[in-house]
Amino acid sequence: MAETDFASAFEGDVPVGTKTPSALRNRVQDWIPATVAFIAVIGVWEGAIRAFDIQAFVLPAPSVIIQRFVETSDVIWSAGLNTLIEAVGGLVLGTVLAVLVAAMTVRWAPVREGLMPFAIAANSVPIIALAPIANGMFSITSPVPKMVVVAIVVFFPVMVNTARGLIEVDSAELELMRSYAATPGEIMWRVRVPHALPYFFSALKVVSVLSIVFAIVAEYFGGPQDVLGQYILTKANLFVYPDAWAGILVASILGVALYALTLLSERLFMPWHVSFRASDAS
Amino acid sequence: MRVVDAKGVGKTFGTGSESVEALRDINLTIDPGEFISLIGPSGCGKSTLLRLVGDLTGPTSGELSINGKPASQARSNRDYGIVFQKATLLDWRTVKKNVELPLEIMDIEDSAAADEMLDLVQLGDFKEHYPWQLSGGMQQRVAIARALTFNPSLLLMDEPFGALDEMTREQMQQEVLRIWDETETTVVFVTHSIPEAVFLSTRIVVMSPRPGQISDVIETGLDHPRDVETRESPEYYRKVTEVREALRRQEGHG
Ligand SMILES: Nc1ncnc2c1ncn2[C@@H]1O[C@H](COP(=O)(O)OP(=O)(O)OP(=O)(O)O)[C@@H](O)[C@H]1O
Ligand SMILES: [Mg+2]
């Protein structure tokens, strides 16, 4: 009897925000404004160039860029692939190192105290200035100097963010683990790492795009020719602007693809996260 | 053997002019199977005493033994189940996974334990939900289920029902009593509510502030099992009055 009373008292407890088809529909709706805006910008761009007869060296029309994008696809995608290898190589290298160092800051307070102020300061150093030096340090014909530059760019934000996520755990959660006599390793895997995942991914989302940008900028300083940076630079120097823009388009596509991949893995690794909850606003 | 044996236990936070003497000269013994409530005004050191027992902090004076061994040893032996004032569920785990957390850490293979405990707290239908999908009271019940899965010999609860409405609260009290009856654990329970303390406890430890001390220990002496009728009995009212007067007495002193 007491049993049924007890249960009935909780009938009102209906969970909110469970994922439903309407949540999916919302996600599709979320994309509509961005898509409309994108098409509008392209339209205005194309229209303006025709209306005001703007010269190609100022700004080529989207239709012209697309045309060159298709015609030169062999060359630009081959360059794009090489740039992507540099960017991803640097991204992986920088991320792996960043995560290792972040993990060390948890175990060894001196690492944290010695490194963190330096790392935060390093974040605001124009690391790209290192590119010519990196070119000199390694064989200029290899992708390694570019990877090193990208890795350095990636390292600091990922390290600082991940370390913060690992360290700034709710003290009550640590006490709970303490009450179970959990080992530091268990606290790491069961509390700190899951807690740090959102911090890690928010940094990764930023640097995944930056990795392409910085690989290209590093390429401007010389090295192999079959890369996007050199392609864009050469075409610009020859005043073949639609070709340069086609190269930029490839770079944008690669950047967006890396970003999308990061988003996807974020969802895969932390399906519980707040930002994926169906919003009941709107 | 005593479950809790505190001799002259004191706890001072910090040093020098900023130090706070939270507890002074606590002498308390708790036998197996008792249900002890700690009651007293805010800041009198109830949570601190509970945390000392659970080895979440250490005493600065006196001796404290749990199940005949130092508190730290008892913690290593996984003698404690703790329910904090805040549910403290891990956001990234489902309800069931949260309840299984202590089992995973303690390497206990008992696939049925979590389900049983969730049924016990009437959350069998919410196993695959995430904590943020539950109300505050439901989260607290998950925390209680989690503390019970590994059959701790000592259950420490710090105002576990603070966030619940009166009806739910009374039902949870009934549940905790039933669990206590069935599992024969010893319970140390912090509360602000006099009726709650009287209804649940075998003994009530009344504390006074600045510094925190034990001012009275009151046996409730009410029959078991306790139910709605207990709450309406004259003995129950007498005990409520007795505790209230004990609290008022030490207020007059302060
Ligand atoms: N970590 C700490 N550092 C310094 N002082 C503390 C700490 N924890 C508790 N205190 C002090 O110890 C005293 C007792 O605190 P405690 O939390 O045990 O009180 P309480 O009886 O549980 O109060 P409440 O009923 O409000 O929860 C308070 O004066 C508090 O300021
Ligand atoms: Mg307290």
Side-chain angles (χ1 to χ4, degrees):
Chain A
M1 193 209 105
E3 196 79 28
T4 53
D5 280 350
F6 188 72
S8 64
F10 300 114
E11 272 172 13
D13 283 336
V14 176
V16 288
T18 324
K19 267 185 192 154
T20 58
S22 84
L24 262 174
R25 203 177 322 125
N26 279 343
R27 192 140 314 137
V28 172
Q29 280 168 1
D30 286 347
W31 285 94
I32 293 175
T35 313
V36 169
F38 181 73
I39 293 168
V41 167
I42 300 291
V44 169
W45 178 355
E46 185 79 39
I49 283 174
R50 285 170 193 227
F52 304 113
D53 197 22
I54 295 171
Q55 294 304 302
F57 65 85
V58 179
L59 187 65
S63 55
V64 177
I65 296 172
I66 296 290
Q67 191 194 341
R68 292 305 293 159
F69 177 77
V70 175
E71 285 166 5
T72 62
S73 67
D74 278 1
V75 188
I76 53 179
W77 281 111
S78 146
L81 181 65
N82 287 333
T83 298
L84 185 66
I85 289 170
E86 293 166 1
V88 171
L91 190 61
V92 170
L93 186 67
T95 304
V96 168
L97 285 177
V99 168
L100 288 179
V101 173
M104 291 202 302
T105 64
V106 179
R107 287 303 270 273
W108 294 290
V111 178
R112 174 163 72 244
E113 278 142 25
L115 205 63
M116 277 316 220
F118 170 73
I120 291 164
N123 235 340
S124 52
V125 170
I127 287 157
I128 195 60
L130 289 174
I133 301 170
N135 274 341
M137 281 164 72
F138 305 90
S139 154
I140 191 152
T141 52
S142 84
V144 175
K146 277 74 181 180
M147 286 184 188
V148 170
V149 169
V150 172
I152 295 171
V153 171
V154 164
F155 177 81
F156 290 103
V158 174
M159 197 279 272
V160 170
N161 247 37
T162 308
R164 181 169 296 154
L166 290 171
I167 292 162
E168 290 176 6
V169 178
D170 188 353
S171 62
E173 287 169 10
L174 293 180
E175 288 201 328
L176 183 75
M177 296 300 277
R178 182 181 156 91
S179 79
Y180 300 146
T183 61
E186 273 162 337
I187 294 173
M188 187 74 171
W189 282 113
R190 294 184 199 281
V191 177
R192 292 190 189 277
V193 168
H195 184 262
L197 278 179
Y199 294 75
F200 168 77
F201 275 110
S202 76
L204 198 61
K205 275 186 270 187
V206 175
V207 298
S208 63
V209 177
L210 282 185
S211 70
I212 294 282
V213 174
F214 277 89
I216 290 174
V217 176
E219 286 161 2
Y220 288 160
F221 292 94
Q225 293 303 296
D226 188 16
V227 292
L228 278 182
Q230 283 297 324
Y231 183 84
I232 295 166
L233 193 65
T234 312
K235 294 297 179 183
N237 285 341
L238 296 172
F239 308 109
V240 195
Y241 290 106
D243 285 18
W245 278 92
I248 292 170
L249 183 56
V250 173
S252 312
I253 292 169
L254 293 177
V256 170
L258 275 186
Y259 183 79
L261 209 65
T262 313
L263 276 189
L264 200 72
S265 50
E266 183 184 37
R267 262 148 220 249
L268 228 67
F269 277 107
M270 25 183 264
W272 67 84
H273 197 252
V274 188
S275 55
F276 312 145
R277 294 172 195 173
S279 62
D280 37 6
S282 89
Chain B
M1 190 179 55
R2 299 249 150 83
V3 177
V4 176
D5 193 352
K7 288 198 192 79
V9 167
K11 174 73 184 179
T12 303
F13 289 104
T15 50
S17 58
E18 280 167 35
S19 71
V20 178
E21 189 179 10
L23 291 173
R24 179 189 289 176
D25 194 31
I26 300 293
N27 294 293
L28 178 66
T29 57
I30 301 175
D31 289 322
E34 279 200 276
F35 197 123
I36 302 291
S37 284
L38 307 178
I39 196 166
S42 181
C44 72
K46 303 180 295 292
S47 297
T48 305
L49 180 52
L50 199 77
R51 292 165 51 78
L52 280 173
V53 171
D55 191 44
L56 295 176
T57 181
T60 42
S61 60
E63 275 174 50
L64 177 67
S65 72
I66 307 295
N67 292 331
K69 54 206 167 190
S72 59
Q73 184 62 42
R75 185 168 60 81
S76 310
N77 293 4
R78 277 97 185 223
D79 287 356
Y80 305 115
I82 303 187
V83 181
F84 297 98
Q85 198 164 352
K86 240 177 65 193
T88 318
L89 304 179
L90 302 182
D91 283 341
W92 48 88
R93 284 174 168 254
T94 60
V95 164
K96 184 168 178 192
K97 282 272 171 202
N98 262 289
V99 175
E100 283 173 344
L101 176 72
L103 300 178
E104 285 173 24
I105 291 169
M106 298 173 193
D107 278 325
I108 300 172
E109 292 284 340
D110 189 350
S111 51
D115 287 332
E116 267 169 40
M117 288 305 153
L118 282 170
D119 286 341
L120 201 69
V121 297
Q122 313 286 344
L123 286 173
D125 293 339
F126 293 91
K127 285 171 191 155
E128 299 310 320
H129 285 66
Y130 283 102
W132 55 269
Q133 295 172 307
L134 306 184
S135 74
M138 294 163 90
Q139 292 182 12
Q140 198 60 31
R141 283 185 277 145
V142 176
I144 292 169
R146 181 180 59 189
L148 291 169
T149 37
F150 58 101
N151 287 321
S153 67
L154 181 53
L155 190 57
L156 306 176
M157 305 174 98
D158 193 348
E159 295 183 48
F161 306 148
L164 305 183
D165 65 87
E166 195 59 30
M167 280 308 294
T168 314
R169 201 177 169 123
E170 288 193 359
Q171 276 151 348
M172 286 306 293
Q173 291 167 3
Q174 199 74 61
E175 278 312 292
V176 164
L177 272 187
R178 207 190 77 214
I179 293 163
W180 172 70
D181 238 15
E182 284 174 9
T183 57
E184 295 169 356
T185 51
T186 309
V187 181
V188 182
F189 190 98
V190 173
T191 179
H192 275 134
S193 158
I194 299 171
E196 182 168 89
V198 172
F199 182 71
L200 292 175
S201 317
T202 54
R203 279 193 299 158
I204 300 170
V205 173
V206 182
M207 296 179 66
S208 63
R210 269 165 279 117
Q213 280 171 300
I214 295 179
S215 61
D216 287 275
V217 177
I218 297 169
E219 298 258 359
T220 58
L222 301 171
D223 290 338
H224 286 277
R226 298 175 185 179
D227 51 24
V228 185
E229 274 165 37
T230 312
R231 292 184 201 273
E232 289 163 359
S233 70
E235 297 87 351
Y236 174 77
Y237 281 111
R238 257 199 303 282
K239 281 297 162 189
V240 169
T241 309
E242 193 180 333
V243 176
R244 181 172 294 127
E245 277 170 0
L247 279 166
R248 197 173 296 147
R249 216 166 30 243
Q250 43 107 339
E251 241 165 53
H253 283 230

